[in-house]
Coordinates of all heavy atoms in Angstrom, one line a residue:
M1 N -10.8 12.6 5.4 CA -10.7 11.7 4.3 C -9.3 11.4 4.0 O -8.4 12.2 4.0 CB -11.3 12.4 3.0 CG -11.7 11.3 2.0 SD -12.2 11.9 0.4 CE -13.2 13.4 0.7
N2 N -9.0 10.1 3.8 CA -7.6 9.7 3.6 C -7.2 9.9 2.1 O -8.1 10.0 1.2 CB -7.2 8.3 4.1 CG -7.9 7.2 3.3 OD1 -7.8 7.2 2.1 ND2 -8.5 6.3 4.0
K3 N -5.9 9.9 1.8 CA -5.5 10.2 0.4 C -5.9 9.2 -0.6 O -6.0 9.4 -1.8 CB -4.0 10.5 0.4 CG -3.1 9.3 0.7 CD -1.7 9.7 0.6 CE -0.8 8.6 1.0 NZ 0.6 8.9 0.8
Y4 N -6.1 7.9 -0.1 CA -6.5 6.9 -1.1 C -8.0 7.1 -1.5 O -8.3 6.9 -2.6 CB -6.3 5.5 -0.4 CG -4.9 5.3 0.1 CD1 -4.7 5.1 1.4 CD2 -3.9 5.3 -0.8 CE1 -3.4 5.0 1.9 CE2 -2.6 5.2 -0.3 CZ -2.3 5.0 1.0 OH -1.1 4.9 1.5
K5 N -8.8 7.4 -0.5 CA -10.2 7.7 -0.8 C -10.3 8.9 -1.7 O -11.1 8.9 -2.7 CB -11.0 7.9 0.5 CG -12.5 8.0 0.2 CD -13.3 7.9 1.4 CE -14.8 7.8 1.2 NZ -15.3 8.6 0.0
E6 N -9.5 9.9 -1.4 CA -9.4 11.1 -2.3 C -9.1 10.8 -3.7 O -9.8 11.3 -4.6 CB -8.4 12.1 -1.7 CG -8.9 13.3 -1.1 CD -7.8 14.1 -0.4 OE1 -6.8 14.5 -1.0 OE2 -8.0 14.3 0.8
A7 N -8.0 10.0 -3.9 CA -7.6 9.6 -5.2 C -8.7 8.9 -6.0 O -9.0 9.1 -7.1 CB -6.3 8.8 -5.2
L8 N -9.4 7.9 -5.2 CA -10.4 7.1 -5.8 C -11.6 8.1 -6.2 O -12.2 7.9 -7.3 CB -10.9 6.0 -4.9 CG -12.0 5.1 -5.4 CD1 -11.5 4.3 -6.6 CD2 -12.3 4.1 -4.3
D9 N -12.0 9.0 -5.3 CA -13.1 9.9 -5.6 C -12.8 10.8 -6.8 O -13.7 11.0 -7.6 CB -13.4 10.7 -4.4 CG -14.2 10.0 -3.3 OD1 -14.6 8.8 -3.6 OD2 -14.3 10.5 -2.2
E10 N -11.5 11.2 -6.9 CA -11.1 12.1 -8.0 C -11.3 11.3 -9.3 O -11.8 11.8 -10.3 CB -9.7 12.6 -7.9 CG -9.6 13.7 -6.9 CD -8.1 14.1 -6.5 OE1 -7.2 13.7 -7.3 OE2 -7.9 14.7 -5.5
I11 N -10.9 10.0 -9.3 CA -11.0 9.2 -10.5 C -12.5 9.1 -10.9 O -12.9 9.2 -12.1 CB -10.4 7.8 -10.3 CG1 -8.8 8.0 -10.2 CG2 -10.7 6.9 -11.5 CD1 -8.1 6.7 -9.8
K12 N -13.3 8.8 -9.9 CA -14.7 8.6 -10.1 C -15.3 9.9 -10.7 O -16.1 9.9 -11.7 CB -15.5 8.3 -8.9 CG -15.3 6.8 -8.4 CD -16.1 6.6 -7.1 CE -15.9 5.2 -6.6 NZ -16.4 5.1 -5.2
N13 N -14.9 11.0 -10.1 CA -15.4 12.3 -10.6 C -15.0 12.6 -12.0 O -15.8 13.2 -12.8 CB -15.0 13.5 -9.7 CG -15.7 13.5 -8.4 OD1 -16.9 13.0 -8.3 ND2 -15.2 14.1 -7.4
I14 N -13.8 12.3 -12.4 CA -13.3 12.5 -13.7 C -14.1 11.6 -14.7 O -14.5 12.1 -15.8 CB -11.8 12.2 -13.8 CG1 -11.0 13.4 -13.3 CG2 -11.4 11.9 -15.3 CD1 -10.3 14.2 -14.3
V15 N -14.3 10.3 -14.3 CA -15.0 9.4 -15.2 C -16.4 10.0 -15.5 O -16.9 9.9 -16.6 CB -15.0 8.0 -14.6 CG1 -15.9 7.1 -15.4 CG2 -13.6 7.4 -14.6
L16 N -17.0 10.4 -14.4 CA -18.4 10.9 -14.5 C -18.5 12.4 -14.9 O -19.5 12.9 -15.3 CB -19.1 10.8 -13.1 CG -19.3 9.3 -12.6 CD1 -19.8 9.3 -11.2 CD2 -20.1 8.5 -13.5
D17 N -17.3 13.0 -14.9 CA -17.2 14.4 -15.3 C -18.2 15.3 -14.5 O -19.0 16.0 -15.1 CB -17.2 14.7 -16.8 CG -16.7 16.1 -17.1 OD1 -16.0 16.7 -16.2 OD2 -17.0 16.6 -18.2
K18 N -18.1 15.2 -13.2 CA -19.0 16.0 -12.4 C -18.6 17.5 -12.3 O -19.2 18.3 -11.7 CB -19.1 15.4 -10.9 CG -19.9 14.2 -10.9 CD -20.0 13.7 -9.5 CE -20.9 12.4 -9.4 NZ -20.7 11.7 -8.2
S19 N -17.4 17.8 -12.9 CA -16.9 19.1 -12.8 C -17.8 20.1 -13.6 O -17.9 21.3 -13.4 CB -15.5 19.2 -13.4 OG -15.5 19.0 -14.8
G20 N -18.4 19.5 -14.6 CA -19.4 20.3 -15.4 C -18.8 21.0 -16.6 O -19.6 21.4 -17.5
D21 N -17.5 21.2 -16.6 CA -17.0 21.9 -17.8 C -16.8 21.0 -19.0 O -16.7 21.5 -20.1 CB -15.6 22.6 -17.5 CG -14.5 21.7 -17.1 OD1 -14.7 20.5 -17.3 OD2 -13.5 22.1 -16.6
G22 N -16.8 19.7 -18.8 CA -16.9 18.8 -19.9 C -15.6 18.8 -20.8 O -15.6 18.2 -21.9
Y23 N -14.6 19.4 -20.3 CA -13.4 19.5 -21.1 C -12.1 19.4 -20.2 O -12.0 20.2 -19.3 CB -13.4 20.8 -21.9 CG -12.1 21.1 -22.7 CD1 -11.9 20.4 -23.9 CD2 -11.1 22.0 -22.2 CE1 -10.7 20.6 -24.6 CE2 -9.9 22.1 -22.9 CZ -9.8 21.5 -24.1 OH -8.6 21.6 -24.8
R24 N -11.3 18.5 -20.6 CA -10.0 18.4 -19.9 C -8.9 18.3 -20.9 O -9.0 17.5 -21.9 CB -9.9 17.1 -19.0 CG -11.1 16.9 -18.0 CD -10.8 17.7 -16.8 NE -11.9 17.4 -15.8 CZ -11.9 17.9 -14.6 NH1 -11.0 18.7 -14.2 NH2 -12.9 17.6 -13.8
T25 N -7.8 19.0 -20.7 CA -6.7 18.9 -21.6 C -6.0 17.6 -21.4 O -6.0 17.0 -20.4 CB -5.7 20.0 -21.4 OG1 -5.1 19.8 -20.1 CG2 -6.3 21.4 -21.5
A26 N -5.3 17.1 -22.5 CA -4.6 15.8 -22.5 C -3.5 15.9 -21.4 O -3.3 15.0 -20.7 CB -4.0 15.5 -23.8
K27 N -2.9 17.1 -21.3 CA -1.8 17.2 -20.3 C -2.3 17.1 -18.9 O -1.8 16.5 -18.0 CB -1.1 18.6 -20.5 CG 0.1 18.9 -19.6 CD 1.3 18.1 -20.1 CE 2.5 18.3 -19.2 NZ 3.5 17.2 -19.4
Y28 N -3.5 17.7 -18.7 CA -4.1 17.7 -17.4 C -4.4 16.2 -17.0 O -4.1 15.7 -15.9 CB -5.4 18.5 -17.3 CG -6.2 18.3 -16.1 CD1 -6.0 19.1 -15.0 CD2 -7.2 17.3 -15.9 CE1 -6.6 18.9 -13.8 CE2 -7.9 17.1 -14.8 CZ -7.6 17.9 -13.7 OH -8.3 17.7 -12.5
L29 N -5.0 15.5 -18.0 CA -5.4 14.1 -17.7 C -4.2 13.2 -17.5 O -4.2 12.4 -16.6 CB -6.2 13.6 -18.9 CG -7.6 14.1 -19.0 CD1 -8.3 13.6 -20.3 CD2 -8.5 13.7 -17.8
Q30 N -3.1 13.5 -18.2 CA -1.9 12.8 -18.1 C -1.4 12.9 -16.6 O -1.0 12.0 -15.9 CB -0.9 13.2 -19.1 CG 0.3 12.3 -19.3 CD 1.3 12.9 -20.3 OE1 1.0 13.9 -21.0 NE2 2.3 12.2 -20.5
N31 N -1.3 14.2 -16.2 CA -0.8 14.4 -14.8 C -1.7 13.8 -13.8 O -1.3 13.3 -12.8 CB -0.7 15.9 -14.6 CG 0.5 16.6 -15.3 OD1 1.4 15.9 -15.7 ND2 0.4 17.8 -15.6
F32 N -3.0 14.0 -14.0 CA -4.0 13.5 -13.1 C -3.9 12.0 -12.9 O -3.8 11.5 -11.8 CB -5.4 13.8 -13.6 CG -6.5 13.1 -12.8 CD1 -6.8 13.6 -11.6 CD2 -7.1 12.0 -13.4 CE1 -7.8 12.9 -10.8 CE2 -8.1 11.4 -12.6 CZ -8.4 11.8 -11.4
Y33 N -3.8 11.2 -14.0 CA -3.7 9.8 -13.9 C -2.4 9.3 -13.3 O -2.4 8.4 -12.6 CB -4.0 9.1 -15.3 CG -5.4 9.1 -15.7 CD1 -5.9 9.7 -16.9 CD2 -6.3 8.4 -14.9 CE1 -7.2 9.7 -17.2 CE2 -7.7 8.4 -15.3 CZ -8.1 9.1 -16.4 OH -9.4 9.1 -16.7
Y34 N -1.4 10.1 -13.7 CA -0.1 9.7 -13.1 C -0.1 9.8 -11.6 O 0.3 8.9 -10.9 CB 1.0 10.6 -13.7 CG 2.4 10.2 -13.2 CD1 3.0 9.1 -13.8 CD2 3.0 10.9 -12.2 CE1 4.3 8.7 -13.3 CE2 4.3 10.6 -11.8 CZ 4.9 9.5 -12.3 OH 6.1 9.1 -11.9
S35 N -0.6 10.9 -11.0 CA -0.6 11.1 -9.6 C -1.6 10.2 -8.9 O -1.3 9.6 -7.8 CB -0.8 12.6 -9.2 OG -2.1 12.9 -9.5
S36 N -2.7 9.9 -9.5 CA -3.7 9.0 -9.0 C -3.1 7.6 -8.9 O -3.2 6.9 -7.9 CB -5.0 8.9 -9.8 OG -5.5 10.2 -9.9
C37 N -2.5 7.1 -10.0 CA -1.9 5.8 -10.0 C -0.8 5.7 -8.9 O -0.7 4.7 -8.3 CB -1.3 5.5 -11.4 SG -2.5 5.1 -12.6
E38 N 0.0 6.7 -8.8 CA 1.1 6.7 -7.8 C 0.5 6.5 -6.4 O 1.0 5.7 -5.6 CB 1.9 8.0 -7.9 CG 3.3 7.8 -8.0 CD 4.1 9.1 -8.0 OE1 3.6 10.1 -7.5 OE2 5.2 9.0 -8.6
T39 N -0.6 7.2 -6.1 CA -1.2 7.1 -4.8 C -1.7 5.7 -4.6 O -1.5 5.1 -3.5 CB -2.3 8.2 -4.6 OG1 -1.8 9.4 -4.9 CG2 -2.9 8.1 -3.3
L40 N -2.5 5.2 -5.6 CA -3.1 3.9 -5.4 C -2.1 2.8 -5.4 O -2.3 1.7 -4.9 CB -4.2 3.7 -6.5 CG -5.4 4.7 -6.3 CD1 -6.4 4.6 -7.4 CD2 -6.1 4.5 -5.0
Q41 N -1.0 3.0 -6.1 CA 0.1 2.0 -6.1 C 0.6 1.7 -4.7 O 0.9 0.5 -4.4 CB 1.3 2.5 -7.0 CG 2.4 1.6 -7.1 CD 2.1 0.4 -8.1 OE1 1.4 0.6 -9.0 NE2 2.7 -0.7 -7.8
E42 N 0.6 2.7 -3.9 CA 1.0 2.5 -2.5 C 0.1 1.4 -1.8 O 0.5 0.6 -1.0 CB 0.8 3.8 -1.7 CG 2.0 4.7 -1.7 CD 1.7 5.9 -0.9 OE1 1.2 5.8 0.3 OE2 2.1 7.0 -1.3
L43 N -1.2 1.6 -2.1 CA -2.2 0.6 -1.5 C -2.0 -0.8 -2.0 O -2.0 -1.7 -1.2 CB -3.6 1.0 -1.9 CG -4.5 1.9 -1.0 CD1 -5.9 1.9 -1.6 CD2 -4.5 1.4 0.4
V44 N -1.7 -0.9 -3.3 CA -1.5 -2.2 -3.9 C -0.2 -2.8 -3.3 O -0.2 -4.0 -2.9 CB -1.3 -2.1 -5.4 CG1 -0.8 -3.4 -6.1 CG2 -2.6 -1.6 -6.1
E45 N 0.8 -2.0 -3.1 CA 2.0 -2.6 -2.5 C 1.8 -3.0 -1.1 O 2.4 -4.0 -0.6 CB 3.2 -1.6 -2.7 CG 3.8 -1.7 -4.0 CD 4.8 -0.6 -4.4 OE1 5.3 0.0 -3.5 OE2 5.0 -0.4 -5.6
R46 N 1.1 -2.2 -0.4 CA 0.8 -2.6 1.0 C 0.0 -3.9 1.1 O 0.1 -4.6 2.1 CB 0.1 -1.4 1.8 CG 0.2 -1.6 3.3 CD -0.4 -0.4 4.0 NE 0.2 0.8 3.6 CZ -0.4 2.0 3.7 NH1 -1.6 2.1 4.1 NH2 0.3 3.1 3.3
A47 N -0.9 -4.1 0.2 CA -1.8 -5.3 0.2 C -1.1 -6.5 -0.3 O -1.6 -7.6 -0.3 CB -3.1 -5.0 -0.6
T48 N 0.1 -6.3 -1.0 CA 0.8 -7.4 -1.5 C 1.8 -7.9 -0.5 O 2.7 -7.2 -0.1 CB 1.6 -7.0 -2.8 OG1 0.6 -6.4 -3.7 CG2 2.2 -8.2 -3.5
P49 N 1.7 -9.2 -0.1 CA 2.6 -9.7 1.0 C 4.1 -9.6 0.6 O 4.5 -9.9 -0.5 CB 2.2 -11.2 1.1 CG 0.8 -11.3 0.6 CD 0.7 -10.2 -0.5
K50 N 4.8 -9.0 1.6 CA 6.3 -8.9 1.4 C 6.9 -9.8 2.5 O 6.4 -9.9 3.6 CB 6.7 -7.4 1.7 CG 6.5 -6.5 0.5 CD 7.2 -5.2 0.8 CE 6.8 -4.1 -0.2 NZ 7.2 -2.8 0.3
K51 N 8.1 -10.3 2.1 CA 8.8 -11.2 3.0 C 9.3 -10.3 4.2 O 9.8 -9.2 4.0 CB 10.0 -11.8 2.3 CG 9.6 -13.0 1.5 CD 10.8 -13.9 1.2 CE 10.5 -15.3 0.8 NZ 9.5 -15.3 -0.3
L52 N 9.2 -10.9 5.4 CA 9.8 -10.3 6.5 C 11.3 -10.2 6.4 O 11.9 -11.1 5.8 CB 9.5 -11.1 7.8 CG 8.0 -10.9 8.2 CD1 7.5 -12.2 8.9 CD2 7.8 -9.7 9.0
V53 N 11.9 -9.2 7.0 CA 13.3 -9.0 7.0 C 13.9 -9.8 8.2 O 13.4 -9.5 9.4 CB 13.8 -7.5 7.1 CG1 15.3 -7.4 7.2 CG2 13.2 -6.8 5.9
T54 N 14.8 -10.7 8.0 CA 15.3 -11.5 9.2 C 16.7 -10.9 9.5 O 17.5 -10.7 8.6 CB 15.4 -13.0 8.9 OG1 16.1 -13.2 7.6 CG2 14.0 -13.6 8.7
T55 N 16.9 -10.7 10.7 CA 18.2 -10.3 11.2 C 18.7 -11.5 12.1 O 18.0 -12.5 12.1 CB 18.2 -9.0 12.1 OG1 17.4 -9.3 13.3 CG2 17.5 -7.9 11.3
R56 N 19.7 -11.4 12.8 CA 20.3 -12.5 13.5 C 19.3 -13.0 14.6 O 19.1 -14.1 14.8 CB 21.6 -12.0 14.2 CG 22.4 -13.2 14.6 CD 23.8 -12.7 14.9 NE 24.5 -13.7 15.8 CZ 25.6 -13.5 16.5 NH1 26.2 -12.3 16.4 NH2 26.1 -14.4 17.2
H57 N 18.6 -12.0 15.2 CA 17.7 -12.4 16.4 C 16.2 -12.1 16.1 O 15.4 -12.5 16.9 CB 18.2 -11.6 17.6 CG 19.6 -11.9 18.0 ND1 19.9 -13.2 18.5 CD2 20.7 -11.2 18.0 CE1 21.2 -13.1 18.8 NE2 21.7 -11.9 18.5
T58 N 15.9 -11.4 15.1 CA 14.5 -10.9 15.0 C 14.0 -11.1 13.5 O 14.8 -11.2 12.6 CB 14.4 -9.4 15.3 OG1 15.2 -8.7 14.4 CG2 14.8 -9.2 16.7
R59 N 12.7 -11.0 13.4 CA 12.0 -10.8 12.1 C 11.4 -9.4 12.2 O 10.7 -9.1 13.2 CB 11.0 -11.9 11.9 CG 11.5 -13.3 11.6 CD 10.3 -14.1 11.2 NE 10.7 -15.5 10.9 CZ 10.9 -16.5 11.7 NH1 10.6 -16.3 13.0 NH2 11.2 -17.7 11.3
R60 N 11.6 -8.7 11.1 CA 11.1 -7.3 11.1 C 10.2 -7.0 9.9 O 10.3 -7.6 8.9 CB 12.2 -6.3 11.1 CG 13.0 -6.3 12.4 CD 14.1 -5.3 12.5 NE 14.7 -5.4 13.8 CZ 14.2 -4.7 14.8 NH1 13.2 -3.9 14.7 NH2 14.8 -4.7 16.0
C61 N 9.3 -6.1 10.1 CA 8.4 -5.6 9.0 C 9.3 -5.0 7.9 O 10.1 -4.2 8.2 CB 7.4 -4.6 9.5 SG 6.5 -3.8 8.2
P62 N 9.1 -5.4 6.6 CA 9.9 -4.9 5.6 C 9.6 -3.4 5.2 O 10.4 -2.8 4.6 CB 9.5 -5.8 4.4 CG 8.2 -6.3 4.7 CD 8.1 -6.4 6.2
S63 N 8.5 -2.9 5.7 CA 8.2 -1.5 5.4 C 8.5 -0.5 6.5 O 9.1 0.5 6.2 CB 6.7 -1.4 5.1 OG 6.4 -2.1 3.9
C64 N 8.2 -0.9 7.8 CA 8.5 0.1 8.8 C 9.5 -0.4 9.8 O 9.8 0.3 10.8 CB 7.2 0.4 9.5 SG 6.6 -0.9 10.6
N65 N 10.0 -1.6 9.6 CA 11.1 -2.1 10.5 C 10.7 -2.5 11.9 O 11.5 -2.7 12.8 CB 12.3 -1.1 10.5 CG 13.6 -1.9 10.8 OD1 13.8 -3.0 10.3 ND2 14.5 -1.3 11.5
R66 N 9.4 -2.5 12.1 CA 8.9 -2.9 13.5 C 9.3 -4.4 13.7 O 9.1 -5.2 12.8 CB 7.4 -2.7 13.5 CG 6.8 -3.1 14.9 CD 5.2 -3.1 14.7 NE 4.6 -3.0 16.0 CZ 4.2 -4.0 16.7 NH1 4.5 -5.3 16.3 NH2 3.5 -3.9 17.8
Q67 N 9.7 -4.7 14.9 CA 10.0 -6.1 15.2 C 8.7 -6.9 15.3 O 7.8 -6.5 16.0 CB 10.8 -6.2 16.5 CG 11.1 -7.7 16.8 CD 12.0 -7.9 18.0 OE1 12.7 -7.0 18.5 NE2 11.9 -9.1 18.6
M68 N 8.6 -8.0 14.5 CA 7.4 -8.8 14.5 C 7.5 -10.1 15.3 O 6.5 -10.6 15.8 CB 7.1 -9.2 13.1 CG 6.9 -8.0 12.1 SD 5.5 -6.9 12.6 CE 4.2 -8.0 12.4
S69 N 8.7 -10.6 15.5 CA 8.9 -11.8 16.3 C 10.4 -11.9 16.5 O 11.2 -11.3 15.8 CB 8.3 -13.0 15.6 OG 9.2 -13.5 14.6
D70 N 10.7 -12.8 17.5 CA 12.1 -13.1 17.5 C 12.4 -14.3 16.6 O 11.4 -14.8 16.0 CB 12.6 -13.4 19.0 CG 12.1 -14.7 19.6 OD1 12.0 -15.7 18.8 OD2 11.8 -14.7 20.7
I71 N 13.6 -14.6 16.3 CA 13.9 -15.5 15.2 C 13.4 -16.9 15.4 O 13.1 -17.6 14.4 CB 15.4 -15.5 14.9 CG1 15.7 -16.0 13.5 CG2 16.2 -16.2 15.9 CD1 15.2 -15.1 12.4
N72 N 13.1 -17.3 16.6 CA 12.7 -18.6 16.9 C 11.2 -18.8 16.9 O 10.6 -19.9 16.9 CB 13.2 -19.1 18.3 CG 14.7 -19.2 18.3 OD1 15.3 -19.7 17.3 ND2 15.3 -18.7 19.3
N73 N 10.5 -17.7 16.9 CA 9.0 -17.7 16.9 C 8.4 -17.0 15.7 O 8.7 -15.9 15.4 CB 8.4 -17.0 18.1 CG 8.7 -17.8 19.4 OD1 8.4 -19.0 19.5 ND2 9.4 -17.1 20.3
A74 N 7.6 -17.8 14.9 CA 6.9 -17.1 13.8 C 5.4 -16.9 14.2 O 4.9 -17.7 15.1 CB 7.0 -18.0 12.6
H75 N 4.8 -16.0 13.6 CA 3.4 -15.7 13.9 C 2.7 -15.7 12.5 O 2.2 -14.6 12.2 CB 3.2 -14.5 14.7 CG 3.9 -14.4 16.0 ND1 3.5 -15.2 17.0 CD2 5.0 -13.7 16.4 CE1 4.4 -15.0 18.1 NE2 5.3 -14.1 17.7
P76 N 2.6 -16.8 11.8 CA 2.1 -16.8 10.4 C 0.7 -16.4 10.3 O 0.2 -16.0 9.2 CB 2.3 -18.2 9.9 CG 2.5 -19.0 11.1 CD 3.1 -18.1 12.2
N77 N -0.1 -16.4 11.5 CA -1.4 -15.9 11.4 C -1.5 -14.4 11.4 O -2.6 -13.8 11.1 CB -2.3 -16.5 12.6 CG -2.5 -18.0 12.4 OD1 -2.6 -18.5 11.3 ND2 -2.6 -18.7 13.5
M78 N -0.4 -13.8 11.7 CA -0.4 -12.3 11.7 C -0.2 -11.9 10.2 O 1.0 -11.9 9.7 CB 0.7 -11.8 12.6 CG 0.5 -10.3 12.9 SD 1.9 -9.7 13.9 CE 1.4 -10.3 15.5
K79 N -1.2 -11.5 9.5 CA -1.1 -11.3 8.1 C -0.7 -9.9 7.7 O -0.3 -9.6 6.6 CB -2.4 -11.7 7.4 CG -2.9 -13.1 7.7 CD -3.3 -13.8 6.4 CE -3.8 -15.2 6.7 NZ -2.7 -16.1 7.1
F80 N -0.9 -9.0 8.7 CA -0.6 -7.6 8.4 C 0.2 -7.0 9.6 O 0.0 -7.3 10.7 CB -1.9 -6.7 8.2 CG -2.7 -7.2 7.1 CD1 -3.7 -8.1 7.2 CD2 -2.4 -6.8 5.8 CE1 -4.5 -8.6 6.2 CE2 -3.2 -7.2 4.7 CZ -4.2 -8.1 4.9
C81 N 1.1 -6.1 9.3 CA 1.9 -5.4 10.3 C 0.9 -4.5 11.1 O 0.2 -3.7 10.5 CB 3.0 -4.5 9.7 SG 3.8 -3.4 10.9
P82 N 0.8 -4.6 12.4 CA -0.1 -3.7 13.2 C 0.3 -2.3 13.2 O -0.5 -1.4 13.5 CB 0.0 -4.4 14.6 CG 1.2 -5.1 14.6 CD 1.6 -5.5 13.2
N83 N 1.6 -2.0 12.8 CA 2.1 -0.6 12.8 C 1.7 0.1 11.6 O 1.2 1.2 11.6 CB 3.6 -0.6 13.1 CG 4.1 0.8 13.3 OD1 3.5 1.5 14.1 ND2 5.2 1.1 12.7
C84 N 2.1 -0.5 10.4 CA 1.9 0.2 9.1 C 0.9 -0.4 8.2 O 0.6 0.1 7.1 CB 3.3 0.4 8.4 SG 3.9 -1.2 7.8
G85 N 0.4 -1.7 8.5 CA -0.6 -2.3 7.6 C 0.0 -3.1 6.5 O -0.8 -3.6 5.7
Q86 N 1.3 -3.2 6.4 CA 1.9 -4.0 5.3 C 1.5 -5.4 5.4 O 1.5 -6.0 6.5 CB 3.5 -3.9 5.4 CG 4.2 -4.8 4.5 CD 4.0 -4.4 3.0 OE1 4.1 -3.2 2.7 NE2 3.6 -5.3 2.2
A87 N 1.1 -6.0 4.3 CA 0.8 -7.5 4.2 C 2.1 -8.2 4.3 O 3.1 -7.8 3.7 CB 0.1 -7.8 2.9
L88 N 2.1 -9.3 5.1 CA 3.4 -10.0 5.5 C 3.4 -11.4 4.9 O 2.4 -12.1 4.9 CB 3.5 -10.0 7.0 CG 3.5 -8.7 7.7 CD1 3.4 -8.8 9.2 CD2 4.8 -7.8 7.3
D89 N 4.6 -11.7 4.4 CA 4.9 -13.1 4.0 C 5.9 -13.7 5.0 O 7.0 -13.3 5.0 CB 5.4 -13.1 2.6 CG 5.8 -14.5 2.1 OD1 5.7 -15.4 2.8 OD2 6.3 -14.5 0.9
W90 N 5.4 -14.7 5.8 CA 6.3 -15.3 6.8 C 7.2 -16.3 6.2 O 8.0 -16.9 6.9 CB 5.4 -15.9 7.9 CG 4.8 -14.8 8.8 CD1 3.7 -14.1 8.5 CD2 5.4 -14.3 10.0 NE1 3.5 -13.2 9.5 CE2 4.5 -13.3 10.4 CE3 6.5 -14.6 10.8 CZ2 4.7 -12.5 11.6 CZ3 6.7 -13.8 11.9 CH2 5.8 -12.8 12.3
G91 N 7.0 -16.6 4.9 CA 7.8 -17.6 4.2 C 7.7 -19.0 4.8 O 8.6 -19.8 4.7
I92 N 6.5 -19.3 5.4 CA 6.3 -20.6 6.0 C 5.2 -21.3 5.3 O 4.1 -20.7 5.2 CB 5.9 -20.4 7.5 CG1 7.1 -19.8 8.3 CG2 5.5 -21.7 8.1 CD1 6.8 -19.2 9.6
K93 N 5.5 -22.4 4.8 CA 4.5 -23.2 4.1 C 3.6 -24.0 5.1 O 4.1 -24.5 6.1 CB 5.1 -24.2 3.1 CG 5.8 -23.5 2.0 CD 6.1 -24.5 0.8 CE 6.7 -23.8 -0.4 NZ 8.1 -23.6 -0.2
R94 N 2.3 -23.9 4.8 CA 1.4 -24.6 5.8 C 0.6 -25.7 5.0 O 0.3 -25.6 3.9 CB 0.4 -23.6 6.4 CG 1.2 -22.7 7.3 CD 0.3 -22.0 8.3 NE -0.4 -20.9 7.6 CZ -1.4 -20.2 8.2 NH1 -1.8 -20.6 9.4 NH2 -2.0 -19.2 7.6
Ligands
ZN101 ZN1 5.2 -2.3 9.3

C-alpha cells in the first residue's frame, strides 16, 4: 500500500471511528490531521502543473530534473513526467 492510500484510509477510519474506542484527544487529532495533510499535499502538488525548467539546451522536469526535451523541441502532449509523475506546464498556448 502506498503512503497516499494509507493517509486516505487513516482519514476514513478516523471519520468512521473504526478504532472502536470512540475517543481521540485534541492533540492526537491535531497531529493526525497535520501529518495526513502533509502527505496528501504532495499529491496535490504533483497533480498541479509546474513550469518546466529551461536551461540553455534543455527543458527539465521541475521536480526530478529529468531532461524532457531539448530546447528546440516541445512535447506539450506529455502532461506528466514519466520519471516522477509531476504534472507539467510546457508554457505553450494552443
Ligand atoms: Zn520528474
Side-chain angles (χ1 to χ4, degrees):
M1 198 188 323
N2 69 50
K3 64 179 176 175
Y4 307 115
K5 186 167 186 331
E6 248 169 60
L8 183 60
D9 283 352
E10 281 170 21
I11 292 168
K12 286 180 182 168
N13 283 338
I14 281 254
V15 171
L16 299 172
D17 197 16
K18 285 183 179 160
S19 70
D21 63 12
Y23 175 75
R24 304 278 185 177
T25 66
K27 185 75 185 162
Y28 173 88
L29 288 172
Q30 196 179 356
N31 289 338
F32 170 76
Y33 283 120
Y34 183 78
S35 72
S36 302
C37 283
E38 232 181 23
T39 303
L40 294 174
Q41 182 72 32
E42 275 182 42
L43 265 190
V44 172
E45 275 167 26
R46 195 175 306 153
T48 305
K50 279 191 193 161
K51 279 201 163 54
L52 288 153
V53 175
T54 52
T55 66
R56 199 165 158 196
H57 300 291
T58 63
R59 289 187 177 89
R60 292 182 174 276
C61 172
S63 294
C64 72
N65 208 37
R66 181 189 199 272
Q67 182 177 334
M68 302 299 296
S69 77
D70 71 41
I71 200 67
N72 296 315
N73 291 305
H75 304 289
N77 290 329
M78 198 185 278
K79 304 226 181 291
F80 299 93
C81 172
N83 189 45
C84 71
Q86 174 64 51
L88 301 170
D89 175 0
W90 288 82
I92 294 160
K93 291 196 175 86
R94 293 198 281 171

